[in-house]
Amino acid sequence: MTERIKAGVLGATGAVGQRFIQALTDHPWFEITSLAASERSAGKPYEKAASWRLDSKLPDEIKDQGVVPVDPSRVDADVVFSALPSSSAKTVEPEFAEAGFAVASNASAYRMEADVPLVVPEVNPGHLGLLEQQQDSRGWDGYIITNPNCSTIIMIVSLKPLMQFGLNNVNVATMQAVSGAGYDGVSSMAIIDNILPYIKTEEEKMESETLKLLGEFDGSEIINPDIHFSASCHRVPVLDGHTEAIWAGMRDNPTPEDVRQAFLDFDPELEDLPSKPEKSLVVRDEPDRPQPRLDKNMGNGMSVSVGRIREGIRYIALGHNTVRGAAGASVLNAELLHKKGKL
């Protein structure tokens, strides 16, 4: 067997860090060699440092692995997956990139930097061309690659096949699961029997990130498309799975059947990436699907489900926010990097 790539997880004890561990355990290309977290957790075996909150078993090989500080000199890895809060990522991720690490980040700190690729492999793999500029301009031996916000990822996978129809206007209303805010992010008193019609910075992220993702890389920069986006984001009492109602305006005025067929035909040709699901888009024809309870785990949580395609064009998109929308997205990005010979 080919030697696997050494992988570290930054922020390993948190909710997204645990999803990284879940995604990387028994991965055919990556091997977890470092788990890094705050000074409070450093020095402890992972089982003692973290409160495991996933519905899968904590992997036996991880239980006794020691947690190290979030410090490039203490992390033994070639690629690090960052589940750090944005405030920490802003200073820590460049330290790792400068030290020669490939940083696959789920944090928002560098997503909108002009020389940092914001990538969803099914949507814009060509944006990896920014990495050479990033390394040259910053003098880094390593680099940072980011994935978008969880709600953006779910929407953008469904929008990509609609670009062929001259996409020019998108409105979206999200119904976002509480896990997107972290374990302690939303109190039960605030969310039970309630809907919160505001998620700080979420709407701005969706609008700006989507333009960058759908932009064209001209060899030196990303040119944003002439598409208008408007988002309204809401937190709902669902554990996992973001649901989005999307209105898409297109120059060619496709019919609902045209759109359905475009979803069915969508093939990003990434079959050899281990985390890529058989179908990036799963079309549901039932009148009451997709639903988070029933559809969030499609494609091992990496598929986006779409349905209720109506005149307008209006449809529903749904995806697992901490798998497809977070850790799984970063792992898929790293797999793309390896495929392209950049790891």
Side-chain angles (χ1 to χ4, degrees), residues 167-218:
L167 186 68
N168 55 31
N169 184 69
V170 178
N171 296 309
V172 59
T174 71
M175 293 150 276
Q176 298 182 214
V178 293
S179 59
Y183 188 81
D184 297 319
V186 181
S187 74
S188 59
M189 289 290 286
I191 197 64
I192 292 175
D193 190 33
N194 202 18
I195 291 174
L196 304 179
Y198 171 71
I199 305 174
K200 186 177 180 181
T201 72
E202 196 82 359
E203 292 157 359
E204 294 84 355
K205 288 176 183 176
M206 288 194 76
E207 293 167 5
S208 60
E209 291 173 6
T210 301
L211 286 172
K212 184 174 181 180
L213 285 158
L214 294 179
E216 181 180 350
F217 178 53
D218 69 357

Side-chain angles (χ1 to χ4, degrees), residues 145-288:
I145 180 175
T146 63
N147 58 262
N149 180 20
C150 49
S151 51
T152 304
I153 291 177
I154 293 161
M155 178 177 68
I156 201 73
V157 174
S158 75
L159 291 180
K160 178 63 175 179
L162 303 186
M163 292 292 285
Q164 63 185 295
F165 301 119
L167 186 68
N168 55 31
N169 184 69
V170 178
N171 296 309
V172 59
T174 71
M175 293 150 276
Q176 298 182 214
V178 293
S179 59
Y183 188 81
D184 297 319
V186 181
S187 74
S188 59
M189 289 290 286
I191 197 64
I192 292 175
D193 190 33
N194 202 18
I195 291 174
L196 304 179
Y198 171 71
I199 305 174
K200 186 177 180 181
T201 72
E202 196 82 359
E203 292 157 359
E204 294 84 355
K205 288 176 183 176
M206 288 194 76
E207 293 167 5
S208 60
E209 291 173 6
T210 301
L211 286 172
K212 184 174 181 180
L213 285 158
L214 294 179
E216 181 180 350
F217 178 53
D218 69 357
S220 60
E221 62 180 342
I222 306 297
I223 308 299
N224 286 350
D226 185 15
I227 302 174
H228 177 264
F229 287 92
S230 181
S232 182
C233 297
H234 319 87
R235 189 76 69 192
V236 297
V238 169
L239 184 59
D240 292 309
H242 287 357
T243 305
E244 302 178 359
I246 298 170
W247 291 257
M250 289 164 278
R251 182 188 61 246
D252 296 343
N253 294 317
T255 66
E257 183 54 37
D258 292 334
V259 169
R260 178 181 179 275
Q261 194 61 49
F263 288 153
L264 287 170
D265 293 342
F266 182 52
D267 182 7
E269 299 181 353
L270 298 172
E271 288 80 2
D272 56 340
L273 301 187
S275 298
K276 162 77 168 57
E278 181 179 353
K279 282 283 189 180
S280 293
L281 284 174
V282 175
V283 176
R284 307 297 316 201
D285 289 323
E286 303 92 329
D288 60 350

Side-chain angles (χ1 to χ4, degrees), residues 5 18 35 74 78 140 180-181 226 284 293:
I5 298 165
Q18 292 182 21
L35 299 171
R74 301 293 300 277
D78 300 308
W140 291 346
D226 185 15
R284 307 297 316 201
R293 185 185 299 175

Side-chain angles (χ1 to χ4, degrees), residues 23-165:
L24 294 168
T25 299
D26 297 325
H27 193 285
W29 295 356
F30 302 119
E31 176 186 9
I32 299 175
T33 52
S34 284
L35 299 171
S38 68
E39 292 292 341
R40 184 179 64 253
S41 300
K44 300 177 182 177
Y46 186 84
E47 187 176 29
K48 300 295 185 182
S51 178
W52 188 254
R53 302 192 187 278
L54 302 185
D55 56 7
S56 60
K57 180 185 174 185
L58 173 62
D60 289 336
E61 61 268 36
I62 297 299
K63 287 181 180 179
D64 296 326
Q65 188 165 335
V67 177
V68 300
V70 184
D71 181 335
S73 67
R74 301 293 300 277
V75 172
D76 176 26
D78 300 308
V79 57
V80 291
F81 295 92
S82 175
L84 296 171
S86 185
S87 56
S88 301
K90 191 71 176 178
T91 55
V92 170
E93 290 179 358
E95 293 174 357
F96 276 83
E98 188 174 11
F101 292 83
V103 181
S105 176
N106 182 65
S108 64
Y110 286 91
R111 287 176 189 160
M112 298 309 296
E113 292 285 319
D115 61 352
V116 175
L118 177 67
V119 173
V120 174
E122 297 98 327
V123 176
N124 62 333
H127 288 198
L128 292 182
L130 285 172
L131 290 177
E132 291 182 11
Q133 290 180 231
Q134 180 190 132
Q135 291 177 303
D136 289 345
S137 64
R138 298 178 185 251
W140 291 346
D141 291 327
Y143 53 79
I144 298 172
I145 180 175
T146 63
N147 58 262
N149 180 20
C150 49
S151 51
T152 304
I153 291 177
I154 293 161
M155 178 177 68
I156 201 73
V157 174
S158 75
L159 291 180
K160 178 63 175 179
L162 303 186
M163 292 292 285
Q164 63 185 295
F165 301 119

